[in-house]
Amino acid sequence: MEKYPHIFSPGRIGSLNTKNRIKYAATETNFPYGDGCVSDREVAYMEAQARGGPGIVTTQGAYPDKEGEGKGFKGMMAIYDDCFIPGLARIADVIRQNDALSCLQILHCGREGGVDLDYCLMSSVVPQKLSYFKPPREITTLEIKKTVKDHIMAARRAVKAGFDMIELSGIVGYLISTFISSYTNKRKDEYGGGIRERCRLMVEVIQGVKAEVGDKIPVGIRLCGLELLDDRGGNTIEESIESFRIAEEAGADYLSVTIGWHESSIPVITRDVPMGHWLYVSREIRKHVKVPVTMAFRQFLPSIPEKAIADGTIDFWEMCRPMIADPQMPVKIQEGREDEIIPCIACNLCFSRLYYHQPIMCSVRPTVGHEKDASWGYYGFSMVEKKKNVVIIGAGPAGLQCASVAAKRGHNVKLFEKDEVPGGSVLLASRVDDGSEELMRVVNTLQVECKNDGVELNYGVECSPEMVNKMNADVLVIAAGASVAAPPIGFSGPIFTPKVCMQSPDALPSRLAIIGGGGIGLGIAVFLIRNGDYSITVIEGSSKLGRDVNPFYLWRYTKLLRDKKAIILTGATIKDIKDMVLFVATPKGERQIEIDGIITAEYEAPLNLKRLYERSAPDIHIIGDAKKPRRLNNAIHDGYRLGMVI
Amino acid sequence: MIPIIDEIRCTGCGGCIEICPPQAIEMREEKAFIDAELCEECGFCAAHCPTNAITVPFPMSSETV
């Protein structure tokens, strides 16, 4: 409590008091049904958020129109009919029962809507930059009047369902934002022109909703503080500030500041954006308005919002991703258990899942969407009847996660790591790019969990089959990581592994070919480009570069490589090697690449492991990269799922 | 939900096998086959499939579950 007095001080929005300054921000999940009805899974997820201790819990955006033009996600919640009220009321109930204020967000997705249709609706027809979204159709004046009414009716239903507050959304390309932005609003009628005219739809919605719900229900709005669309004629920051002032004037009781559109060409929420980076926008906006200002965006550590609230940059700290990763973050901060917080690593797996029409998942919290399923142990595991001796080899994310879950269930767990420190591949991955060090937070938390759960941690000890035998292990888990694939035959120059590259980049020659353009190869390329003057060729056999890399990161990595004139060859195979020259066949013809060294960035599951250990324990499992080299989320999920059933 | 494979559209290219994180897909009689025990329902195969042969059903209402 003392460490963060501002975060845990009471707050006020409109006529309501909040117990602290934390607001769980609206987050789409795809947990509701395709017809817009709330599912048990969504209620359980929202209950977990409310139990975690924020002062305000916001629902995911609910679309207000029966046509589905506002629907932007396959499993988006709906509020266009009274039949949705009972389901919505279940969410309001679980929030109230946990002593938090409930806030329902009404969201018409506009430029990103019409997920089940063949068009989307927006202010003017501006072709999509992201091919994923539907071709736009211009909204008519009649339809504008209807959408205002839809919002008002939605607010009425939200109040009936028992919500304490209403939130509107005009960000990233959603309907209201397409009117506010000069990039998308080319209208000649009273809804287009200067910033005041472009804000007319927003004003009509705010005023209409306020008039409907009365003074006792606060109405807030999320707006874009900085569109990052300068390259396409978007709003200036002055115009954005003006939109906040106009919203306040129209009666908004709080203002949530957001950054960027989904089609902005500047990174906004990835790890390379320093934590707290965007607070300057909120600071500027707060100078011009009197109602409370809230903000999310890369505030992953409580020290950042604590300072921002203290110095008047924000009034409330909003969180989406950090609380997907750990809904109990508020209570853990309050109780001084910060080292137990499961840290969001901004991998954006959750985000990308939405665009695959899948329910969200989280790399670092496998229990997302399973909060009420006892076997997943979100609220704690029941103890096993027969305590087993479990030996785990490898203290990377898979081994640590498996150890922690198995120990929580009551098993006697010993973990062995041949390195002096835990982390496995994360030790390398955490050095690739700006912000990559945040990946180590996962390892640190898992290590703390293991210690708290009573796992015996042995670092700097290579665990042989004989040792496993002697320990009378009932279960052996091999989580020892992958091995580097064999380099191409015939190259007479030096060959390096990723580990060697990252340990001593200065010792590398300057002309390098990286074999393998998946996540590891790209990671090495990015690391080298950022740490020296290398001329790099990436050789990838499949047709797609970095197919296992999240799109949020892939575009930045590809841009970095292109800017530094790296040669990227996809669909490429090495046909021949003569001394220091590679002959590479590509779909565009053969290339000759002169190099001074090769980096092997392809990994494979070690073939001999199972045979080596086969007699050491009656029950043997292989997880993580040792099973098949994949991503961090697979390692953690492998570990968790195995830990659940040992 | 477990992805569904349209055996007429599936060309047996094996792209999904390469991309599947939990190695849940194998080739059976030149068509992709998903092991329901291993599948994590991530949908990567559906997004990757060049012929749109894989779809992941989305539960439309509480009755369809």
Side-chain angles (χ1 to χ4, degrees), chain A residues 30 32-35 74-75 349 353 356-358 361 547 627-628 630 634 637-638 641, chain B residues 17-23 38 40-44 47 56 58-62 65:
Chain A
N30 267 345
Y33 295 111
D35 63 2
K74 207 84 189 165
L349 173 65
R353 292 268 303 175
Y356 291 125
H357 304 310
Q358 294 296 320
M361 275 174 77
R547 66 175 180 209
K627 180 180 172 193
K628 187 188 183 186
R630 288 158 297 159
N634 303 111
H637 283 238
D638 271 12
R641 281 158 177 263
Chain B
I17 296 177
E18 281 301 306
I19 203 125
C20 174
Q23 302 181 92
L38 285 174
E40 288 174 354
E41 303 168 26
C42 69
F44 286 13
V56 190
F58 199 92
M60 285 314 288
S61 72
S62 52
V65 178

Side-chain angles (χ1 to χ4, degrees), chain A residues 372-384:
Chain A
K372 268 290 166 74
D373 187 342
S375 64
W376 284 81
Y378 175 77
Y379 293 108
F381 288 99
S382 52
M383 289 293 137
V384 289

Side-chain angles (χ1 to χ4, degrees), chain A residues 21 54 87 101 149 220 228 242 327 416 464 471 499 551 553 567 588:
Chain A
R21 304 297 188 93
L101 293 179
K149 199 171 168 232
L228 302 174
E242 189 59 16
F416 292 87
S464 64
M471 285 183 282
K499 197 169 180 177
Y553 288 88
I567 301 167
K588 288 177 189 161

Side-chain angles (χ1 to χ4, degrees), chain A residues 149 171 230 241 249-250 261 264 352 553 566 618 626-627 631 635:
Chain A
K149 199 171 168 232
I171 62 172
D230 291 344
I241 292 169
E249 202 178 281
W261 274 35
S264 303
S352 55
Y553 288 88
K627 180 180 172 193
R631 311 298 296 177

Side-chain angles (χ1 to χ4, degrees), chain A residues 236-437:
Chain A
T236 61
I237 188 159
E238 289 75 22
E239 287 175 306
S240 291
I241 292 169
E242 189 59 16
S243 70
F244 282 85
R245 281 182 16 84
I246 295 170
E248 181 182 40
E249 202 178 281
D253 294 292
Y254 71 91
L255 301 163
S256 171
V257 181
T258 69
I259 306 293
W261 274 35
H262 286 156
E263 53 201 284
S264 303
S265 43
I266 294 170
V268 176
I269 57 168
T270 38
R271 280 188 298 274
D272 47 296
V273 179
M275 288 192 201
H277 175 75
W278 300 112
L279 282 166
Y280 75 93
V281 180
S282 170
R283 191 174 306 129
E284 200 50 41
I285 285 161
R286 200 168 174 275
K287 284 180 197 159
H288 297 85
V289 297
K290 292 188 187 67
V291 295
V293 170
T294 70
M295 193 187 201
F297 290 85
R298 289 288 284 144
Q299 301 184 64
F300 286 8
L301 294 168
S303 55
I304 294 166
E306 172 65 23
K307 183 171 170 294
I309 297 171
D311 68 17
T313 300
I314 54 172
D315 297 285
F316 286 83
W317 172 25
E318 286 191 280
M319 277 191 278
C320 291
R321 294 175 298 160
M323 285 183 67
I324 297 174
D326 195 345
Q328 294 170 42
M329 187 159 165
V331 71
K332 285 179 179 173
I333 296 168
Q334 196 164 16
E335 292 175 359
R337 297 189 287 132
E338 273 176 68
D339 59 350
E340 292 174 34
I341 293 170
I342 304 170
C344 172
I345 50 171
C347 70
N348 297 337
L349 173 65
C350 47
F351 223 134
S352 55
R353 292 268 303 175
L354 291 175
Y355 296 111
Y356 291 125
H357 304 310
Q358 294 296 320
I360 57 167
M361 275 174 77
C362 177
S363 286
V364 295
R365 182 167 75 91
T367 56
V368 169
H370 303 286
E371 287 82 1
K372 268 290 166 74
D373 187 342
S375 64
W376 284 81
Y378 175 77
Y379 293 108
F381 288 99
S382 52
M383 289 293 137
V384 289
E385 281 172 22
K386 187 182 172 295
K387 210 171 172 159
K388 293 179 187 170
N389 287 327
V390 179
V391 172
I392 300 178
I393 301 177
L400 286 166
Q401 181 70 79
C402 185
S404 150
V405 173
K408 278 190 176 76
R409 292 176 55 237
H411 292 308
N412 177 18
V413 183
K414 291 187 168 81
L415 180 63
F416 292 87
E417 168 58 53
K418 69 174 177 347
D419 278 357
E420 296 295 333
V421 287
S425 303
V426 182
L427 292 168
L428 294 184
S430 62
R431 297 179 54 207
V432 164
D433 194 8
D434 284 331
S436 293
E437 67 279 4

Side-chain angles (χ1 to χ4, degrees), chain A residues 95-112:
Chain A
I95 298 173
R96 190 184 321 104
Q97 284 154 14
N98 287 287
D99 194 26
L101 293 179
S102 58
C103 178
L104 183 124
Q105 189 188 73
I106 304 168
L107 170 61
H108 187 302
C109 288
R111 185 170 169 78
E112 306 192 353

Side-chain angles (χ1 to χ4, degrees), chain B residues 31-55:
Chain B
K31 303 285 175 190
F33 175 85
I34 299 174
D35 184 334
E37 289 262 301
L38 285 174
C39 177
E40 288 174 354
E41 303 168 26
C42 69
F44 286 13
C45 54
H48 180 77
C49 178
T51 60
N52 294 321
I54 310 178
T55 45

